[in-house]
Amino acid sequence: MDSNELLQRYEAGETKFPGASLSRANLSNADLIGINLYQADLQNANLVFAYLNRANLNRANLMGVNLSGANLSQASLSSANLKDADLHGALLPQADLRNANLILANLLDANLIEADLRGADLSGANLTGACLRGANFREEKRLYTSSLRGTTLRKADLQGVNLTGANLAKVDLSGANLAEATLRNVDLRGANLNGANLSGAFLTEANLSEANLQQATLVNTKIERGNLTNADLQGVNLSGSLLADAKLVRANLSQTNLYRTRLTRGDLSRAKLVGANLTEADLIEAYLARTDLTNANLTKANLVRAEMSSTNLLGAILQATIMPDGSIRNSG
């Protein structure tokens, strides 16, 4: 079947073309709303600015296809092969992309609002500037495990997205909007989150070891039991955040704003908090072995039962600070 035959039959009212062979077909600007192309072969086809709203492309071969500017709103692309596909500026709101192969796909500035990406493989994909608000990457009973390893999500809009259990190791999320996102148990080892907005995000039990969080905003963020070993948080605003039982071993928190941050039972051994603002911070039972608090502001901080036998407090402000033994310190 060639593109002309498909268009003629569709125009005549036929919509079901399962298994159709349309490799390299030119269907640019085609109106194919609601078409059924289940398991069709569209490898390297030209679908630039095509209308594929609510189309059935489940299990279709779309490898190398050009879908730039195409409208795939509410389309079904479950288990479709979109490897190396060009989806620059494509519209995919509420699209079903479960278990889709999007390896090395170009999704620059794509609209993926409320798209279902559970189990999708986005390894090496370019999602720079993409809008993923409300998109679903949630892992459910291991049935769906999204892979975004090596993906570029620079300046992507991921506000409110659910990425529970996703693999984001070494992903570029610099400047991304992750406000109020759900990132529970996410693997963010070595990720670039420079300048990212994580305000109000849920990062419970997330792995952020060796992540770059410089200039990021983490106001009122929940990172309890998170792993931030060797993470770079220099100058970050963590005011009002929850870091109870978090692991911050050797983390760089110099000049960080930790105003009213809860670090209960946190492991800050060998962490660097030079000049950090810990005013009214909760450090009850925190582990501060060889922690560098040089010139840190600990005004009204609570250090009850904290381990501080080898902590460096040179030049630290200890005004109305509750010390490990319960006494109140007024010096510095």
Side-chain angles (χ1 to χ4, degrees):
M1 180 188 299
D2 60 20
S3 54
N4 289 329
E5 181 185 349
L6 175 75
L7 292 171
Q8 288 172 7
R9 290 168 62 177
Y10 178 83
E11 188 69 24
E14 190 176 348
T15 60
K16 296 180 180 179
F17 303 92
S21 180
L22 292 156
S23 178
R24 299 184 182 279
N26 183 4
L27 293 162
S28 61
N29 295 292
D31 183 346
L32 298 166
I33 294 172
I35 194 168
N36 184 339
L37 287 163
Y38 175 78
Q39 275 189 331
D41 182 8
L42 288 147
Q43 183 169 345
N44 295 316
N46 179 5
L47 288 155
V48 175
F49 294 116
Y51 293 90
L52 290 156
N53 316 53
R54 294 192 174 182
N56 181 353
L57 289 155
N58 293 332
R59 299 186 179 278
N61 180 12
L62 295 156
M63 184 174 177
V65 71
N66 191 343
L67 283 157
S68 297
N71 192 329
L72 290 144
S73 175
Q74 297 181 21
S76 294
L77 293 129
S78 179
S79 298
N81 181 9
L82 286 148
K83 184 177 180 180
D84 287 316
D86 189 351
L87 290 143
H88 181 186
L91 301 175
L92 291 143
Q94 297 180 20
D96 183 356
L97 287 152
R98 285 174 297 167
N99 296 314
N101 179 358
L102 287 152
I103 294 173
L104 300 175
N106 180 18
L107 288 150
L108 178 70
D109 296 324
N111 181 342
L112 288 149
I113 293 174
E114 296 183 4
D116 193 341
L117 287 149
R118 288 175 294 170
D121 192 343
L122 286 143
S123 302
N126 182 5
L127 283 148
T128 301
C131 184
L132 290 125
R133 290 196 181 197
N136 189 4
F137 293 85
R138 184 178 67 251
E139 179 180 344
E140 291 183 347
K141 299 180 181 178
R142 304 287 177 183
L143 292 175
Y144 305 102
T145 306
S146 302
S147 178
L148 293 113
R149 191 175 181 86
T151 304
T152 299
L153 285 157
R154 187 166 55 88
K155 294 185 178 179
D157 189 348
L158 291 147
Q159 183 169 342
V161 73
N162 191 335
L163 282 158
T164 299
N167 183 354
L168 290 158
K170 296 184 179 179
V171 168
D172 184 0
L173 284 153
S174 55
N177 180 14
L178 287 152
E180 300 173 4
T182 301
L183 299 156
R184 290 186 174 93
N185 200 32
V186 169
D187 187 351
L188 283 156
R189 287 175 295 173
N192 182 6
L193 288 150
N194 190 303
N197 180 9
L198 288 149
S199 298
F202 293 86
L203 285 147
T204 305
E205 297 180 348
N207 190 343
L208 289 145
S209 57
E210 300 185 4
N212 176 10
L213 287 146
Q214 285 193 28
Q215 301 179 59
T217 301
L218 290 105
V219 177
N220 297 321
T221 303
K222 284 77 176 174
I223 321 177
E224 61 266 48
R225 299 183 298 284
N227 185 354
L228 290 131
T229 300
N230 291 315
D232 191 347
L233 294 134
Q234 185 171 359
V236 169
N237 186 357
L238 276 155
S239 60
S241 292
L242 176 58
L243 284 148
D245 299 293
K247 192 173 183 179
L248 291 142
V249 180
R250 293 184 297 276
N252 183 1
L253 293 147
S254 295
Q255 310 301 323
T256 299
N257 183 5
L258 292 154
Y259 173 69
R260 286 190 173 177
T261 297
R262 292 178 61 186
L263 288 152
T264 314
R265 297 177 301 279
D267 186 349
L268 290 135
S269 56
R270 296 185 177 85
K272 190 175 182 181
L273 289 111
V274 177
N277 177 18
L278 286 149
T279 304
E280 297 184 37
D282 181 352
L283 289 149
I284 295 173
E285 296 182 1
Y287 188 61
L288 299 161
R290 300 195 67 185
T291 303
D292 190 353
L293 286 160
T294 302
N295 298 321
N297 186 351
L298 287 149
T299 299
K300 295 184 179 180
N302 191 341
L303 292 157
V304 169
R305 295 188 298 280
E307 168 52 46
M308 300 183 71
S309 59
S310 56
T311 305
N312 183 358
L313 289 164
L314 183 65
I317 299 171
L318 299 166
Q319 191 67 34
T321 305
I322 304 175
M323 301 306 288
D325 61 1
S327 62
I328 298 177
R329 186 83 168 264
N330 285 292
S331 61

